[in-house]
Amino acid sequence: MQRQLVRVGMVGTLVGFGIVSLAYGQVADQVRSRQKISLMESVLESAVANGADNLLREVRTVLPPDALMLTGAPQARGFRLEGYGLFFDVEVPAFRRTMAWTLRTMVDEHGLAASSAVTQLKSYIATVSDPRMRAQLDLALRRLELQVGPVAPQGQSSGQVGRAQTVGATQSAPVAAAIDPAIIDDPNGAYTHEVSAAIIDAMIENSGPLPLADGEFLTVAARDNVRPDRLVPGDTSNITSIVFRINGSDLSAYRAGRITLEQARAKVEVTEF
């Protein structure tokens, strides 16, 4: 009887140790999973910051160095959804609406729009074969140059254009070349494009350590960190979010070299609402 009790006790002890070991293993797995998700949060925050920097480097040529262009810093939070995969909520600092107006104003003050028009007009005149039309365009070009000064041709420094050129006009040509006209026309659209591209590349190139199986999804929902102002009628802040989603099997195919980075980018589903 005593031996049976000892055996029962030993079995109970072993079962207890097994349960404790199993529970410890589950906790350890959860901790490692959380650490990998936290790492991806940092990666996504850095990706948003890098995308913003790509735009800001260009507009800094005409904006004051101390101009506050963005509404804060990016923040990311990741979660595991059983049966679905991984979901990351990313708050993206918004490009201040006043900065779009300031950028256009500074561009006009630097004469960049006029300088760009002069360059385009010169290129068009070179293709005109009608002498009468060409003479009219040359006259229009000279009138425009009176406003901004002669524009240096490509490959020639602005200082070589002539002594009659003013200092302001001399400096406008290289600055104009540094800014994409699309940014001037729609700085918010250019900002969204840069940040979106950075998020997609981060999802593809940095998802290897994530606990994501084939058939599960890696999803990133990006939205502005600006909340609507209820005191301002018609405020449209934070009404748009962009959701990026890719299947774990596509990420595995990229890591295994079965598809290229460009092909993996095409696999990312992008939904805007």
Side-chain angles (χ1 to χ4, degrees):
M1 185 69 179
Q2 187 175 4
R3 289 181 179 179
Q4 291 179 346
L5 291 175
V6 171
R7 288 177 182 175
V8 170
M10 291 178 63
V11 170
T13 302
L14 291 174
V15 171
F17 277 127
I19 293 175
V20 171
S21 298
L22 179 61
Y24 177 80
Q26 291 176 342
V27 171
D29 289 342
Q30 291 176 355
V31 170
R32 285 192 292 269
S33 177
R34 180 63 248 175
Q35 289 173 340
K36 293 174 181 178
I37 291 174
S38 296
L39 180 60
M40 190 63 181
E41 290 172 348
S42 300
V43 168
L44 289 171
E45 290 173 354
S46 297
V48 171
N50 292 338
D53 286 342
N54 291 338
L55 174 73
L56 300 185
R57 276 196 300 270
E58 295 197 50
V59 301
R60 285 290 187 194
T61 57
V62 294
L63 290 175
D66 58 345
L68 296 176
M69 301 185 200
L70 303 179
T71 57
Q75 291 186 340
R77 302 174 186 85
F79 312 90
R80 174 153 189 85
L81 303 177
E82 292 301 327
Y84 177 82
L86 297 174
F87 179 87
F88 290 85
D89 174 39
V90 180
E91 289 191 355
V92 179
F95 192 80
R96 294 181 184 272
R97 285 174 289 178
T98 55
M99 293 310 303
W101 176 85
T102 303
L103 178 60
R104 293 190 183 99
T105 302
M106 295 299 294
V107 163
D108 289 341
E109 288 180 0
H110 282 267
L112 304 186
S115 296
S116 178
V118 169
T119 302
Q120 294 177 11
L121 186 56
K122 281 184 176 181
S123 299
Y124 176 70
I125 291 175
T127 65
V128 175
S129 56
D130 186 348
R132 179 180 275 179
M133 178 64 70
R134 189 167 188 143
Q136 293 177 351
L137 292 173
D138 280 333
L139 179 60
L141 176 62
R142 286 196 293 272
R143 288 175 178 172
L144 189 56
E145 285 184 326
L146 287 176
Q147 300 178 16
V148 297
V151 178
Q154 293 183 353
Q156 180 180 353
S157 66
S158 55
Q160 295 173 322
V161 175
R163 294 181 179 275
Q165 187 176 5
T166 63
V167 174
T170 301
Q171 295 175 343
S172 66
V175 177
I179 300 181
D180 187 344
I183 296 178
I184 300 171
D185 294 337
D186 185 12
N188 287 294
Y191 175 64
T192 299
H193 173 76
E194 291 290 346
V195 170
S196 297
I199 288 176
I200 289 174
D201 282 354
M203 292 172 65
I204 296 171
E205 297 181 319
N206 297 275
S207 59
L210 291 176
L212 187 72
D214 290 354
E216 293 184 327
F217 289 95
L218 171 59
T219 303
V220 175
R223 56 190 174 85
D224 289 345
N225 64 356
V226 177
R227 302 294 183 268
D229 189 345
R230 296 179 180 178
L231 300 179
V232 179
D235 185 8
T236 58
S237 300
N238 198 37
I239 64 172
T240 301
S241 297
I242 303 179
V243 178
F244 309 89
R245 190 177 79 155
I246 187 170
N247 197 298
S249 60
D250 295 323
L251 294 173
S252 297
Y254 169 72
R255 289 193 295 270
R258 294 193 298 271
I259 61 175
T260 65
L261 176 58
E262 197 62 36
Q263 290 172 327
R265 288 170 177 160
K267 298 284 187 181
V268 179
E269 302 173 14
V270 182
T271 306
E272 185 172 338
F273 62 92

